[in-house]
Amino acid sequence: MPTWTKEQSDAIYKSGKNIIVSAGAGSGKTAVLTTRVLQKIENGIHVNELLILTFTKAAASEMKERIRKKLKKNTNLKSELSLLDTAYVTTFDSFSLSIVKKYHYLLNVSSNLKITDETMIEILRKDVLRKVLDQFYLEEDVKFLRLINEFCVKDDHEIYDSLLSISKILEKDFTKLERLDHFQKFYFNTLKIEECLNEFEQLILKKQVDLKEKVRELERIAPKSYISKIYDNLNSLLSVSRLDDFVSVKSSKLPPLPKNSEEELKETKEELNNTLKELKSLLDYGSKEQLKKDLFQLEEYVEVFVSILKAYFQEFERQKQEKNYYDFNDIAFLALNLLKHNEDVCEEIKNSFKEI
């Protein structure tokens, strides 16, 4: 028997509460979990009453084999071997799929559903989004046309690509439609805008700290006369602390290096110059009041984006169901929906396991 540390022993034997184990690769997490499983079985819980989930098929396979080996070594537990192959030692995705298939009739989906190739789903994404945009053109939606006129030149590819990119991120969110419904109210209010502007100001101050550090690095190797010029040119930028003050002194520049400067000095000055450019790029948006005004003016365009995305997701989901196209995210959402709206299913699944 291995000698367990106190933390490993806690992870094996503690019961009746949720346990989180955080440990690096090769530290024995799988061995600890396998021993916990065996300990549960020795205390009268059958292996198929444990739900053991992993992220990869390889990890699930390794876990199952380790449990099998331990069961074979204990003659009193050999009856559990016949239960192991039907036990849920599997991935999160496989478990979700098994639930959806079992209760498919409650979800109005086929029991035969399969994971669709990502290429097919990507083709469908693009096709649906294009059709949704075409519909907005046909309806001559005033706000939509204003968005297109404001941000597009020859075509709408940039808007299209932005919407596609946002939709892919939102696809992973179970509450995406609810979030879209409340997006404007949540972000376009004075309190939230002020909070965003304060965060932006903090980002500028952090970049100012980076600039000071680069100046100190240059100070180690540059002639004093050159450092004096640096401070003359950058002092205003290095000493201010409010966004509006930063904007008023953003024209600060670095003086040219002395002739025949060494390579190290040139490289360090270039790093300082890059940091200065990064800071100045954050000041291109103008004063705090101007920023606030610009952000509120964006609300109309955001409203259009939200409308397009809601129409897109409704049509995308409809077509996926019609074509029987599903990815692992869809399966997870179906499983969550099943449990959210069917208390009897929740109870049935809950009562079939003693521990996860």
Side-chain angles (χ1 to χ4, degrees), residues 38-221:
L38 192 72
Q39 187 259 335
K40 293 289 173 186
I41 296 169
E42 286 172 344
N43 285 322
I45 294 176
H46 296 298
V47 68
N48 61 349
E49 293 176 321
L50 296 170
L51 176 56
I52 303 165
L53 300 176
T54 67
F55 286 102
T56 66
K57 289 180 180 178
S61 178
E62 182 191 355
M63 180 66 70
K64 190 171 271 191
E65 284 314 301
R66 289 206 192 189
I67 294 169
R68 193 186 306 280
K69 285 177 183 176
K70 284 188 177 287
L71 291 175
K72 282 180 178 177
K73 286 179 183 178
N74 192 325
T75 53
N76 296 325
L77 301 177
K78 284 194 175 174
S79 60
E80 293 291 320
L81 285 167
S82 61
L83 302 175
L84 182 59
D85 288 325
T86 57
Y88 278 109
V89 186
T90 187
T91 63
F92 288 92
D93 290 331
S94 296
F95 179 62
S96 296
L97 184 58
S98 71
I99 291 175
V100 170
K101 282 187 172 183
K102 184 176 179 180
Y103 300 100
H104 68 97
Y105 54 91
L106 293 171
L107 292 161
N108 197 28
V109 298
S110 167
S111 61
N112 200 21
L113 82 171
K114 294 175 183 174
I115 302 301
T116 308
D117 184 271
E118 175 57 28
T119 307
M120 300 295 289
I121 292 178
E122 180 65 8
I123 290 169
L124 183 63
R125 276 190 196 105
K126 292 178 177 179
D127 182 53
V128 169
L129 181 56
R130 177 45 62 197
K131 284 177 179 171
V132 167
L133 285 175
D134 288 347
Q135 188 59 38
F136 271 79
Y137 281 114
L138 281 172
E139 291 172 0
E140 297 186 347
D141 183 279
V142 176
K143 291 180 180 178
F144 171 72
L145 294 176
R146 197 177 293 141
L147 170 76
I148 296 299
N149 291 332
E150 185 74 26
F151 293 99
C152 301
V153 183
K154 292 181 180 178
D155 53 47
D156 61 10
H157 281 321
E158 284 194 5
I159 295 287
Y160 175 89
D161 290 343
S162 294
L163 285 161
L164 192 63
S165 176
I166 294 166
S167 71
K168 286 180 183 178
I169 295 166
L170 283 173
E171 266 180 45
K172 298 168 187 173
D173 186 350
F174 181 58
T175 62
K176 55 183 171 286
L177 290 176
E178 291 93 327
R179 284 187 70 182
L180 286 170
D181 279 337
H182 297 101
F183 188 86
Q184 281 169 266
K185 188 178 179 182
F186 182 79
Y187 283 101
F188 288 94
N189 62 76
T190 304
L191 196 64
K192 191 64 182 178
I193 295 288
E194 282 292 342
E195 186 184 314
C196 289
L197 288 173
N198 288 337
E199 285 180 21
F200 182 61
E201 200 166 57
Q202 290 305 310
L203 181 66
I204 291 169
L205 288 168
K206 185 178 182 304
K207 194 55 68 177
Q208 183 194 48
V209 170
D210 293 342
L211 189 69
K212 288 176 180 177
E213 287 177 0
K214 293 296 179 188
V215 170
R216 281 194 287 271
E217 284 178 29
L218 196 69
E219 215 167 344
R220 286 189 304 105
I221 53 175

Side-chain angles (χ1 to χ4, degrees), residues 212-242:
K212 288 176 180 177
E213 287 177 0
K214 293 296 179 188
V215 170
R216 281 194 287 271
E217 284 178 29
L218 196 69
E219 215 167 344
R220 286 189 304 105
I221 53 175
K224 285 185 178 179
S225 57
Y226 182 69
I227 295 299
S228 180
K229 288 179 184 177
I230 289 277
Y231 278 114
D232 286 344
N233 286 27
L234 295 186
N235 191 50
S236 297
L237 202 58
L238 294 173
S239 58
V240 293
S241 59
R242 291 170 60 253

